[in-house]
Every structure is written in structure tokens, then in C-alpha cells.
Amino acid sequence: MKMWSGRFRQPLDPEFEQWQRSFSFDRKLLKYELEASSAHAQALRKAGILTAEELISILEGLKRIGDLAQSSPSFLEDNEAEDVHHFVEKQLASLIGDRGYKLHSGRSRNEQIATDLRLFTRSSIDQIRAELAGLCTTFVDRGEEADDAVMPSYTHLQPAEPVLVAHWLLAYVEMFLRDADRLADCRRRLNFSPLGSGAVAGATLPLDREFMASTLGFSRPTGNSIDATSDRDFALEFVQTLSILGLHLSRWAEEMILFSSNEYGFIHLPEAYSTGSSAMPQKKNPDLLELVRGKAGRIAGCATALTITIKGLPLAYNKDLQETQEPLFEAAEIVMRILPLVTGWIKIVEFNTAEMLNASDSGFMNAWAAATYLVKKGVPCRISHEAVGNAVKLCLERNCELNDLSVAELQAVNPAFGSDLYQYLAVSAVVALHDVVGGTAAARVKQAIKLTRERIESLRGEAHAHA
Ligand code: ARG
């Protein structure tokens, strides 16, 4: 039986009937639909609409639907179900008879879908945050293992200054921890229960909304039924946050692709995550990285699809909102599959630290340190900058590095230069010079590793507490 056929005189156009259904994708919400329906059934009992016996039978029926869906996937092959709400109602009636139809008393699919989607998003957030904790730990582990290895850092993709490999890896952890934090924020804002909001104006029965909210682990009922049945901010925020996470992963992937090229030679691509070419026998291609970079585009597409779907919708529920489901599911699914793969990749990738060191030792990455040397001797910054610039110019003419110049040559550029400059220019000394909170000096990075591990532990604790 349809959920709404009473006032219709004519049957639906068969093609339209198929096309407007959502069960092919909203079956993903079955678990949440069953949880929310159990909470509603209990509220109906409290309101005196169901007898104790009817409640038991409905709760058993709902449980049986969940079990059947688990044990036989073909159970979900129902080509009459319009959506997940209709599916549950139909199955319940076939399991426990007409009393199953009592479950829908006083509620609307508009509040149900709003509730199911919040539950789905909340659970996805908890899983993704737990995965992010694993990913961040792996980055920190690799950083700790890299110890005092150095590499060039770049600005404008031009060699800038040497940094510790650990410092570079921790930069990515900062991004991922911000993503985890944004997800926590989104979770806090979504954790309100729409149940009892009805179709738009609120339930028509005296349902205990606080009770339903706490049964489902929500902090409170939503405050306005018109908003609650039409709001998809939580989906938008979640997918936009995932699209930022996608950008971070994409930037990381791009950098790994560059660094694995022959031209850089900083990393050896793990064979377990690469493929060859059907034509060129010598090839080992960075497929995982390229797909991660590509998926970021897909996630951004999901965020855009959601935004444009919601834009211009008058209050309250409109069927356009059914179109918010697939981009939400797709973005969550992409991220959930990417994160363990990236973690696996980072775990085994080999850093070519000899090549990184070699690259750090040339290209005047110690020029700012040389200028700082002069500043410490009392030379004004602008003048020291100019002096080192002149020294670099001389080196470029001679095709050498700053430390290849003699003291006399240096003093001709600026008399404050002395022979103690050379030790100042060594890669390790340049790294050590950046001795500030958040800088790359070894002791600072060690401290950053410790603090970062603490932040990851608290993220892991929160993610587990919710799971
Ligand atoms: N399948 C619908 C959706 O996802 C459920 C809500 C239907 N509500 C309605 N008034 N037709 O949006």
C-alpha cells in the first residue's frame, strides 16, 4: 500500500513513479530509520496511542527488519518501496499485520528523513575523525623516525630554506587536525533531534520530544519545526568540511607526485600503491596520489551540488531535498575509502634522505641565515639583505655557493663578515637558527611532536567516546 494514495483518482505515470523514488539510495539509511522509528514508537506508547502489547510487537518487527537486512541482502530488493520510510512501513505490516500501520501515527516523512540524515552524518563524522587520528599518528611516526633528516622547503616552488623532514610532515598533521576539529564543530551543531517536528508545524500528538532526543543520543530537540524539517545545513557543513579535507589531501598528493619525479627524487613510490604503463615498460606511476587528487574534485562537486540544490528553496520541506542525499553519501564514502589508503601509503613510502640533504646544500638556502649573521653583528636588516644579495650575484657569476667565497671576497661586499660565517652557513646550523615556537630547530620540532601526539590522543579519545 502506498503512503498517500487516498486522494488520487488516477495512477501515476509508471516512468515518473520509478523516477521519483529514492529507495535505491536511501536504503543506506535503514539502520537510522529503524532506530528513529523505535524512539517514535516508544513516544507513541507514552502518549497512549499504542498499547504495551502493540509497542512490543512493533519494536520486535523493527528489530526483525534490521536482522533480515543484515542476513539476506536480497531482502532489500523491493521494487515497490518508494523510499526507506515506505519500505519499513510495508515490511512491518507484512511482519506484524495492520498494527504495523500504527507506527506512522503523528509523524511525517519530512521529520524522519531530517532525523535519519543527521544520524548518518553524525556517525560518518565519528568514523572519519577516528580515521584522521590514525592518519595523523602515521605522519608523526614517520616524522619521528626521520629524526634530524633535512630537506629543502619551498616558496613559489623555488628553494627557500632547509627544514627538518619531521617539520614538513607535521605541517600536514596541522591541516588534518583542523579538519577533525571542523568535523567536531559540525557534529556539535547537528546533534539536535527533529523528531516530533511533524510535516512542518509540529507533531499532532503529544509526543515527548526530549525523550526521543535522548534515546537517539541527541543533546536536545530542535527548536523550530519549520526549520527542522527543511534544514540541511548539517549536510552542507559536513560536505564542505570534507571538501576542505579533500583539498588538503590533494595538495599533499600533488607534492608527493612532484617529489617522486626523477627531477626531485626525494621519495621512492611504494610499489604496492603504484601501477605500470601498458606501453612504456619502465614506468611506475603514482596512481594512488593521482586518484586522491582527482577525488578532491569529486568532493568539491558534491559540496557544490548541495549548495545549489538548497539555494532558493522556500520553507519548508520540498522534494528537491531528496537530491541532497546522494552528494552527502558520495562525499562521505569517498573520504572513508581514501583515508585508510593514504595511511597505508605514508606508512611504507621511502624517503630518499641523501637526495633531500643534497638538495638542501645548494641553491643559496642559507642566504637568509647569512643576512641574519650580519644583523647579529649590528648591520641594519635592509643593508645586510642587499649585501647577501650582492654575494649571491657574485656566486651566480662563478657558479658557486656562498661558502665557497673567501673571507676577503665577503668582506669586500660587507666588512662585518668574518671567518665565523662559514659554520653559520652549514645546513644543520641554518635549521638550528629557526629556534622559535613552531619553527624547524630540532628541539622545537621535538616539542611539536610531543604536543601533536597529545592532540591526536584527545581526538582519538573523543572519536571513541562517540563510537
Ligand atoms: N524520500 C523523501 C526525501 O528523501 C522523504 C520525504 C518525503 N516527504 C514528502 N513530503 N514527500 O526527501
Side-chain angles (χ1 to χ4, degrees):
M1 193 199 259
K2 285 207 179 333
M3 295 181 93
W4 43 261
S5 53
R7 63 96 71 211
F8 280 73
R9 281 170 302 196
Q10 288 173 2
L12 292 189
D13 172 90
E15 204 172 323
F16 167 67
E17 146 105 274
Q18 284 300 323
W19 176 75
Q20 57 93 38
R21 291 180 180 187
S22 53
F23 189 54
S24 61
F25 48 87
D26 68 13
R27 64 180 62 183
K28 212 184 176 74
L29 299 171
L30 181 66
K31 174 172 181 278
Y32 309 111
E33 175 72 8
L34 294 172
E35 283 172 21
S37 291
S38 301
H40 176 72
Q42 292 171 66
L44 284 177
R45 169 70 194 125
K46 286 174 122 231
I49 302 296
L50 296 180
T51 63
E53 192 206 304
E54 284 167 338
L55 173 65
I56 289 169
S57 149
I58 286 176
L59 292 181
E60 279 172 4
L62 292 172
K63 179 162 186 320
R64 177 107 184 92
I65 294 172
D67 293 345
L68 282 167
Q70 285 261 310
S71 58
S72 71
S74 64
F75 174 63
L76 289 169
E77 298 311 320
D78 179 337
N79 45 27
E80 277 170 13
E82 186 172 313
D83 55 24
V84 67
H85 323 293
H86 183 212
F87 175 77
V88 170
E89 179 169 285
K90 259 185 75 204
Q91 297 301 335
L92 193 61
S94 89
L95 286 170
I96 65 169
D98 273 3
R99 61 171 59 171
Y101 290 126
K102 287 201 164 189
L103 173 63
H104 204 58
S105 313
R107 74 172 180 177
S108 154
R109 285 184 292 167
N110 299 352
E111 63 181 296
Q112 286 173 260
I113 188 64
T115 305
D116 294 356
L117 290 175
R118 281 180 192 238
L119 290 172
F120 168 85
T121 306
R122 191 177 72 183
S123 150
S124 303
I125 287 174
D126 295 341
Q127 290 172 53
I128 292 172
R129 292 185 84 234
E131 284 295 336
L132 280 173
L135 176 69
C136 289
T137 299
T138 307
F139 268 80
V140 177
D141 288 347
R142 295 304 314 265
E144 196 153 50
E145 181 191 309
D147 198 20
D148 58 359
V150 293
M151 65 183 292
S153 67
Y154 300 84
T155 63
H156 314 270
L157 207 53
Q158 303 289 326
E161 295 183 277
V163 291
L164 289 189
V165 170
H167 194 54
W168 164 67
L169 290 170
L170 285 177
Y172 285 107
V173 178
E174 289 292 326
M175 299 181 212
F176 298 136
L177 287 177
R178 280 199 298 278
D179 294 323
D181 205 41
R182 266 186 283 270
L183 287 170
D185 226 36
C186 172
R187 189 188 199 283
R188 226 174 351 263
R189 254 190 304 279
L190 74 70
N191 204 25
F192 300 96
S193 169
L195 283 194
S197 297
V200 55
T204 52
L205 295 171
L207 301 175
D208 185 343
R209 296 198 63 206
E210 271 78 15
F211 163 80
M212 292 192 285
S214 72
T215 302
L216 294 171
F218 287 118
S219 42
R220 273 199 311 278
T222 49
N224 180 292
S225 61
I226 304 175
D227 175 55
T229 48
S230 64
D231 168 41
R232 293 293 182 273
D233 287 3
F234 60 89
L236 201 52
E237 269 189 53
F238 172 62
V239 177
Q240 284 175 345
T241 297
L242 294 189
S243 110
I244 298 178
L245 168 58
L247 294 186
H248 294 152
L249 289 166
S250 179
R251 292 182 69 182
W252 167 80
E254 169 64 13
E255 195 163 64
M256 295 306 101
I257 292 168
L258 276 177
F259 286 176
S260 69
S261 67
N262 247 351
E263 287 67 16
Y264 281 83
F266 290 173
I267 59 177
H268 298 299
L269 291 174
E271 290 194 4
Y273 295 100
S274 306
T275 67
S277 155
S278 62
M280 297 169 282
Q282 84 281 14
K283 288 281 227 163
K284 182 170 67 166
N285 294 327
D287 291 44
L288 176 135
L289 302 167
E290 291 169 309
L291 285 174
V292 166
R293 194 174 55 184
K295 298 283 184 196
R298 293 271 296 273
I299 304 169
C302 293
T304 305
L306 277 176
T307 308
I308 308 299
T309 302
I310 294 164
K311 176 186 175 300
L313 289 188
L315 289 174
Y317 178 84
N318 298 271
K319 187 110 172 190
D320 315 42
L321 289 175
Q322 186 166 288
E323 294 298 313
T324 61
Q325 295 189 33
E326 285 165 294
L328 170 66
F329 299 156
E330 186 185 354
E333 162 99 20
I334 292 175
V335 169
M336 244 117 70
R337 295 204 57 186
I338 283 183
L339 291 178
L341 287 167
V342 171
T343 304
W345 192 98
I346 269 287
K347 255 185 194 145
I348 63 170
V349 66
E350 267 178 71
F351 298 125
N352 186 347
T353 47
E355 193 49 50
M356 287 172 160
L357 175 63
N358 192 29
S360 309
D361 219 5
S362 58
F364 308 107
M365 275 184 267
N366 49 13
W368 196 18
T372 304
Y373 168 94
L374 289 180
V375 165
K376 287 189 176 167
K377 301 257 168 186
V379 181
C381 165
R382 190 51 50 226
I383 291 168
S384 60
H385 186 285
E386 196 66 14
V388 176
N390 289 336
V392 167
K393 190 156 62 189
L394 189 61
C395 291
L396 286 171
E397 281 159 20
R398 298 208 192 149
N399 196 19
C400 68
E401 290 288 322
L402 286 173
N403 34 328
D404 296 321
L405 298 176
S406 68
V407 178
E409 285 165 333
L410 287 162
Q411 283 177 343
V413 173
N414 189 298
F417 277 124
S419 58
D420 54 344
L421 172 72
Y422 298 102
Q423 73 207 41
Y424 223 76
L425 296 183
V427 177
S428 57
V430 177
V431 169
L433 197 56
H434 299 78
D435 189 14
V436 290
V437 172
T440 196
R444 300 295 185 167
V445 173
K446 218 182 188 125
Q447 176 69 0
I449 288 180
K450 186 170 165 281
L451 292 175
T452 307
R453 284 207 193 278
E454 285 166 19
R455 287 158 69 199
I456 298 170
E457 268 333 295
S458 80
L459 161 60
R460 188 170 280 122
E462 283 163 32
H464 281 172
H466 292 310

